[in-house]
């Protein structure tokens, strides 16, 4: 196993926090499949920050305010994902990296995490924060893969972070059914955060203006001394085969008409057919 | 031919049902590909909790034995499994429950093996003798089919309900082996306290009728309408995660993997799209009504009655009709 030598030495008052973020399609836009049935049509979509990552950025900024230090953000994506990096910079992050997605296989969290690992290593971050999942793909992999590649300690389903000192954090995890575990974690570590437990700040006008002058660096795999092969699993690899609509699991009856008719039908069905009223 | 490791989900000294589902799945894989099955208990346990496993058709039950494993941390569990691999060799597959506990385990052991995992699996089917896996993507509006290439070990994590845990084959008596871990990497994480859930008097698990609200409710003020509907129906109010995240309802109202698992005779979902984390908490409701203006919302795939309409057009009329019924004594 990896031996844990905290990068952040006792007495060092400067914490380096890396927050990994992702741009996802807005959930309210209608989606349709591309001609191959392997992906969605991207032409008419609106894009936004993965909601979980907003909580991650807020957590990183709060730690920086308390302990001192800096927050950098990093994403893997095409040029449109610069928008979420700019948003993070406007919220208060100091620097941003985008690893260009050109040489990536379609949707491989493993490949994404391999590339992110190199940026975190070069930055020598004490703390890495990711969302526990992306809203669109929901693989729940990136943060824990990073912990594995980096040899950092980790915790998932984080719903609370308190800074004890610059060496360890008190972290609350959400377990199934609403139970919680409170634990102490020593840095360096990766924390994967849930939604709903802090108040992600809005970017101020000043923040937006300042973000324009903050560094945003675009990297290729070659810049990270990686290749399209090197970011894939040396053993098992996962193939993305096709997309399809989910199957209808029940016999569903759609009720339509004016609201008046719908309400009448529904009450009748629930009383006479389903017999649940 | 190799072996399949099934990682048991143990909570509060009990083997959780998903463990049996994964054993049933491993039996399916063993039939198709001919593997031995070993169930790995990730912590020391008392003998009596093993009794439900005493006749399941698996080759071996291995109890990882070290006092520090009693409290889960990913580092400790991975360290113990490394020792096990050193002594027993690599498995072909590792089956892991996709539960909160193991969210940070599955990818970490995949990183160790340099083998890409498939996580959050919703179903498995076989084509030309090879397993294919489906999972939800794009907010549940699509399912992706994923396949495995390259070499083992293959690491897979499964949602609840992928295999039928009630029908685990029980035709043998597996050997039980206590595997002592002498050297364990304790890692850099110390558990301080466990807190039981606060229910605050909201008992959704025993409710006969539940009116559940999601993002579609728009703003907190609109809850008054939902409360009126719930009062007329004698229903409890449930919600999806975004509503409790926004602070519009306390956490006790949440249905799903982070909240309560419910099985009312009538569930009415209002403005709920049906993310997997919510679905796992309500899919066993007897009658499911979904009202959502987005016809693509995945909740319609498991509804019995679907209404593709703005809930603010339908619910007020529904309330009026129910009031009329009540006045007539028919509700």
């Amino acid at each position: 196993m990896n031996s844990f030598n905290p990068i952040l030495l006792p007495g060092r008052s400067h914490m380096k926090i890396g927050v990994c973020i992702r741009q996802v399609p807005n959930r309210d836009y209608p989606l349709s499949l591309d001609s191959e049935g392997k992906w969605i049509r991207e032409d008419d979509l609106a894009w936004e920050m993965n909601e979980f990552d907003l909580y991650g950025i807020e957590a990183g900024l709060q730690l920086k305010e308390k302990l001192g230090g800096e927050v950098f953000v990093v994403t893997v994506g095409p040029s449109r994902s610069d928008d979420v990096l700019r948003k993070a910079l406007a919220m208060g992050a100091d620097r941003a990296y985008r690893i260009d997605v050109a040489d990536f296989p379609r949707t491989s969290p493993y490949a994404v995490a391999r590339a992110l690992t190199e940026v975190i290593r070069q930055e020598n971050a004490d703390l890495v924060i990711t969302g526990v999942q992306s809203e669109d793909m929901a693989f729940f992999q990136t943060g824990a893969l990073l912990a594995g590649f980096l040899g950092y300690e980790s915790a998932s389903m984080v719903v609370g972070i308190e800074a004890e000192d610059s060496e360890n954090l008190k972290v609350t995890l959400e377990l199934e059914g609403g139970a919680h575990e409170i634990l102490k974690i020593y840095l360096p570590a990766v924390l994967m955060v849930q939604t709903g437990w802090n108040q992600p700040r809005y970017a101020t006008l000043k923040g937006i203006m300042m973000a324009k002058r903050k560094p945003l660096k675009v990297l290729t795999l070659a810049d990270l001394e990686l290749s399209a092969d090197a970011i894939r699993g040396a053993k098992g690899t996962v193939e993305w085969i096709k997309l399809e609509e989910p199957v209808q699991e029940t016999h569903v009856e759609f009720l339509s008409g004016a609201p008046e008719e719908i309400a009448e039908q529904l009450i009748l069905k629930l009383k006479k057919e389903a017999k649940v009223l | 031919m190799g072996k399949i490791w099934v990682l048991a989900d143990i909570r509060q000294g009990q083997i959780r049902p998903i463990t049996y589902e994964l054993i049933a799945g491993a039996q399916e894989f063993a039939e198709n590909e001919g593997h031995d099955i070993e169930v790995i208990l990730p912590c020391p346990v008392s003998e009596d909790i093993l009794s439900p496993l005493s006749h399941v058709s698996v080759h071996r039950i291995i109890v990882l034995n070290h006092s520090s494993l009693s409290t889960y941390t990913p580092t400790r569990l991975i360290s113990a499994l490394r020792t096990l691999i050193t002594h027993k060799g690599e498995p072909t597959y590792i089956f892991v429950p996709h539960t909160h506990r193991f969210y940070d385990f599955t990818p970490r052991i995949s990183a160790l093996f340099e083998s890409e995992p498939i996580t959050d699996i919703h179903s498995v089917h076989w084509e030309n003798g090879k397993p294919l896996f489906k999972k939800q993507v794009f907010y549940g509006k699509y399912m992706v089919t994923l396949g495995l290439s390259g070499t083992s070990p293959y690491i897979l994590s499964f949602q609840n309900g992928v295999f039928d845990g009630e029908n685990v084959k029980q035709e043998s008596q597996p050997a039980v082996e206590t595997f002592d871990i002498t050297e364990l990497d304790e890692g850099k994480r110390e558990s301080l306290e466990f807190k039981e859930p606060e229910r605050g008097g909201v008992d959704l698990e025993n409710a006969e009728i539940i009116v559940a609200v999601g993002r579609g409710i728009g703003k907190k003020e609109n809850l008054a309408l939902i409360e009126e509907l719930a009062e007329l129906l004698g229903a409890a109010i449930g919600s999806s995660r975004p509503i409790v995240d926004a602070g519009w309802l306390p956490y006790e109202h949440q249905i799903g993997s982070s909240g309560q698992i419910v099985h009312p005779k009538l569930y009415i979902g209002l403005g709920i799209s049906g993310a997997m984390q919510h679905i796992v908490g309500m899919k066993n409701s007897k009658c499911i009504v979904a009202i959502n203006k987005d016809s693509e919302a995945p909740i319609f795939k498991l509804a019995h009655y679907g209404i593709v309409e703005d809930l603010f057009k339908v619910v007020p009329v529904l309330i009026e009709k129910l009031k009329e019924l009540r006045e007539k004594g028919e509700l």
Side-chain angles (χ1 to χ4, degrees):
Chain A
M1 288 301 288
N2 304 287
S3 60
F4 290 92
N5 300 309
I7 291 166
L8 192 67
L9 298 168
R12 180 174 158 187
S13 63
H14 180 105
M15 195 183 212
K16 199 186 260 188
I17 302 165
V19 185
C20 303
I21 64 178
R22 173 177 166 83
Q23 191 187 41
V24 299
N26 180 299
R27 63 166 60 240
D28 296 326
Y29 272 62
L31 302 178
S32 60
L33 292 182
D34 69 8
S35 55
E36 289 177 52
K38 284 203 164 194
W39 198 247
I40 52 163
R41 278 180 217 280
E42 293 197 354
D43 334 346
D44 300 324
L45 293 180
W47 299 86
E48 61 190 17
M49 177 125 47
N50 182 41
E51 190 184 359
F52 292 82
D53 304 343
L54 288 169
Y55 293 88
I57 294 168
E58 179 60 35
L61 294 174
Q62 284 186 18
L63 285 172
K64 171 186 154 175
E65 284 158 5
K66 176 140 191 219
L67 298 173
E70 54 184 333
V71 174
F72 68 92
V73 287
V74 53
T75 193
V76 174
S79 55
R80 62 167 154 75
S81 25
D82 287 349
D83 288 353
V84 292
L85 294 173
R86 290 279 175 218
K87 176 166 183 172
L89 294 173
M91 285 170 77
D94 300 291
R95 286 173 289 117
Y97 295 97
R98 175 168 65 82
I99 306 168
D100 194 73
V101 80
D103 299 320
F104 279 67
R106 176 150 282 165
T107 310
S108 166
Y110 190 95
V112 166
R114 265 305 278 118
L116 291 173
T117 298
E118 293 310 315
V119 174
I120 308 288
R121 271 197 190 128
Q122 288 180 13
E123 280 279 352
N124 215 356
D126 307 292
L127 177 65
V128 179
I129 303 175
T130 72
V132 70
Q133 64 165 104
S134 63
E135 289 180 274
D136 57 345
M137 291 297 133
F139 280 109
F140 297 77
Q141 288 186 19
T142 306
L145 281 168
L146 281 172
F149 292 137
L150 292 161
Y152 284 15
E153 188 53 279
S154 66
S156 191
M157 297 300 276
V158 170
V159 292
I161 304 174
E162 280 173 59
E164 297 272 281
D165 52 48
S166 58
E167 286 172 70
N168 71 79
L169 302 170
K170 196 169 156 189
V171 169
T172 305
L173 307 186
E174 183 183 281
L175 306 180
E176 257 101 359
H180 290 90
E181 179 185 1
I182 298 163
L183 55 85
K184 195 157 132 176
I185 194 163
Y186 292 85
L187 302 179
V190 179
L191 299 179
M192 290 148 264
V193 301
Q194 252 287 18
T195 55
W197 57 280
N198 61 27
Q199 293 274 331
R201 63 194 66 186
Y202 292 103
T204 59
L205 191 60
K206 189 178 161 215
I208 295 166
M209 296 308 288
M210 282 171 68
K212 289 178 182 163
R213 291 195 299 273
K214 289 178 178 173
L216 190 165
K217 194 169 178 186
V218 180
L219 301 164
T220 62
L221 287 183
D223 294 332
L224 297 168
E225 292 175 22
L226 288 170
S227 65
D229 283 340
I231 56 175
R232 297 309 303 262
K235 291 185 175 170
T237 51
V238 175
E239 280 176 84
W240 178 280
I241 298 171
K242 63 175 177 186
L243 283 181
E244 62 200 333
E245 283 191 21
V247 292
Q248 184 68 44
E249 291 185 26
T250 48
H251 175 74
V252 63
E253 188 176 348
F254 282 98
L255 310 179
S256 56
E260 186 96 351
E261 294 167 64
I262 291 174
E264 273 173 14
Q265 284 182 69
L266 181 63
I267 291 170
L268 193 70
K269 299 275 179 195
L270 293 180
K271 280 178 86 83
K272 305 283 184 204
E273 207 172 79
K275 299 189 166 62
V276 290
L277 271 192
Chain B
M1 169 160 149
K3 60 189 174 190
I4 302 175
W5 281 356
V6 174
L7 198 60
D9 189 18
I10 296 176
R11 238 175 297 157
Q12 290 158 332
Q14 294 295 318
I15 300 176
R16 304 282 298 174
I18 193 169
T19 310
Y20 302 103
E21 296 173 12
L22 265 51
I23 292 172
Q27 289 173 344
E28 184 181 315
F29 273 62
E31 259 176 42
N32 281 286
E33 300 186 337
H35 301 290
D36 286 353
I37 302 169
E38 294 179 338
V39 180
I40 311 288
L41 279 83
C43 54
V45 292
S46 62
E47 234 166 71
D48 53 309
I49 92 150
L50 293 176
S51 59
L53 293 173
S54 59
H55 289 87
V56 297
S57 301
V58 300
H59 292 81
R60 199 170 287 108
I61 293 165
I62 298 174
V63 181
L64 299 179
N65 189 37
H66 188 288
S67 60
S68 292
L69 292 170
S70 300
T71 305
Y72 167 84
T73 83
T75 303
R76 290 176 196 169
L77 180 53
I78 286 169
S79 168
L81 288 173
R82 284 178 71 125
T83 308
L84 189 66
I85 288 163
T86 306
H87 287 84
K88 310 251 179 191
E90 278 181 15
T92 305
Y93 290 100
I94 303 179
F95 283 18
V96 188
H98 186 63
T99 56
H100 291 197
R101 260 304 178 219
F102 294 128
Y103 284 174
D104 65 355
F105 167 79
T106 311
R108 277 188 61 177
I109 195 150
S110 303
L112 181 78
F113 283 122
E114 296 188 64
S115 189
E116 300 177 9
I118 302 184
T119 45
D120 188 40
I121 294 166
H122 183 271
S123 67
V124 179
H125 64 283
W126 295 80
E127 254 177 54
N128 304 321
K130 290 188 77 175
L132 293 174
F133 307 89
K134 287 188 186 180
K135 86 167 243 43
Q136 278 194 336
V137 289
F138 293 115
Y139 315 103
K141 290 177 180 178
Y142 292 104
M143 303 293 289
V144 62
T145 301
L146 300 166
L148 293 167
S149 298
T151 56
S152 65
Y154 302 114
I155 297 129
L156 307 173
S157 81
F158 299 90
Q159 274 283 356
N160 283 287
V162 178
F163 305 103
D164 182 2
E166 304 279 313
N167 284 313
V168 169
K169 271 182 280 174
Q170 309 216 29
E171 292 153 3
S172 63
Q173 280 186 300
V176 177
E177 180 182 341
T178 300
F179 186 84
D180 292 319
I181 308 286
T182 45
E183 269 185 57
L184 186 80
D185 180 350
E186 297 275 350
K188 292 285 181 182
R189 170 173 151 173
E190 287 165 28
S191 190
L192 301 175
E193 190 187 348
F194 283 90
K195 279 189 180 168
E196 288 310 309
E198 288 164 27
R199 285 284 179 255
V202 183
D203 184 10
L204 296 172
E205 279 158 23
N206 292 309
E208 295 227 311
I209 302 179
I210 293 175
V211 173
V213 290
R215 285 177 200 267
I217 191 76
K219 53 182 180 187
K220 188 177 181 180
E221 291 66 37
N222 292 334
L223 276 173
L225 188 70
I226 309 306
E227 281 161 7
E228 195 177 359
L229 178 66
E231 192 273 319
L232 278 161
L233 292 168
I237 295 180
S239 83
S240 63
R241 180 160 192 108
I243 301 304
V244 296
D245 275 355
W248 298 349
L249 281 171
Y251 275 92
E252 299 92 84
H253 290 272
Q254 190 183 352
I255 293 170
S257 57
S258 299
Q260 301 191 49
I261 308 294
V262 303
H263 37 78
K265 63 177 188 179
L266 174 59
Y267 165 100
I268 303 178
L270 302 170
I272 283 186
S273 67
M276 186 53 89
Q277 284 69 26
H278 182 71
I279 297 289
V280 296
M282 51 61 74
K283 65 182 175 188
N284 292 326
S285 306
K286 190 177 158 222
C287 177
I288 296 172
V289 177
I291 306 180
N292 196 309
K293 62 184 171 186
D294 179 4
S295 64
E296 288 180 23
I299 194 164
F300 288 122
K301 300 293 181 192
L302 59 145
H304 300 92
Y305 300 105
I307 296 163
V308 183
E309 184 55 275
D310 184 348
L311 73 96
F312 297 108
K313 287 185 182 158
V314 177
V315 173
V317 186
L318 192 59
I319 286 172
E320 288 316 307
K321 300 278 173 202
L322 288 168
K323 276 184 184 164
E324 287 170 23
L325 278 184
R326 182 150 82 175
E327 275 160 27
K328 285 193 260 173
E330 289 175 21
L331 186 70

